Amino acid sequence: MTLLISADLHLSNNLRDAYRLQFMKKLPTLAKKQDIDLIMILGDLCESKDEHNAELVNAIVEQFYALSQVAPVVVLKGNHDYLHPDHPFFAFLGHLSGLGLCHLRVP
């Protein structure tokens, strides 16, 4: 099995961080080229825990949809991805086919 693993993307509404989304846009091409079987994003998808503007949310959804067309995607929610573990902002991404969200609970 060939994995593509990334972590700590810290996407944000801030223009100075736009290069981070550009990185995400390159992942589907890279995954196809390398014949990736599973894509894993290991937490801290966003810089802030909430108050994401529509442009950022739409861009993230588009990129995860594109990734899920290449290989299944698993996103581990990091401490920047929710205010409360039971109410993550991006929980709706779990409704995209080929995309799974999980939360690591540490006792």
Side-chain angles (χ1 to χ4, degrees):
M1 175 178 275
T2 306
L3 302 175
L4 187 153
I5 300 173
S6 184
D8 297 297
L9 295 173
H10 290 275
L11 303 172
S12 78
N13 302 327
N14 193 321
L15 289 177
R16 76 165 190 254
D17 297 332
Y19 72 94
R20 296 174 185 172
L21 190 57
Q22 294 305 314
F23 167 77
M24 254 194 99
K25 289 180 179 180
K26 294 178 182 188
L27 290 179
T29 301
L30 177 64
K32 283 181 192 174
K33 184 176 180 180
Q34 299 298 319
D35 198 26
I36 298 297
D37 298 309
L38 179 66
I39 300 165
M40 301 179 76
I41 308 295
L42 303 180
D44 291 347
L45 177 61
C46 289
E47 178 63 24
S48 62
K49 296 176 188 267
D50 63 358
E51 298 183 25
H52 311 296
N53 69 20
E55 184 178 354
L56 177 64
V57 172
N58 288 338
I60 290 171
V61 170
E62 287 174 12
Q63 292 314 305
F64 274 118
Y65 178 77
L67 280 173
S68 71
Q69 300 307 295
V70 177
V73 179
V74 174
V75 178
L76 177 64
K77 293 177 271 185
N79 66 311
H80 282 245
D81 298 328
Y82 58 87
L83 289 171
H84 186 277
D86 295 330
H87 304 286
F89 181 83
F90 286 101
F92 66 89
L93 288 175
H95 295 285
L96 289 176
S97 178
L99 190 113
L101 298 172
C102 54
H103 177 74
L104 181 62
R105 292 187 187 260
V106 180

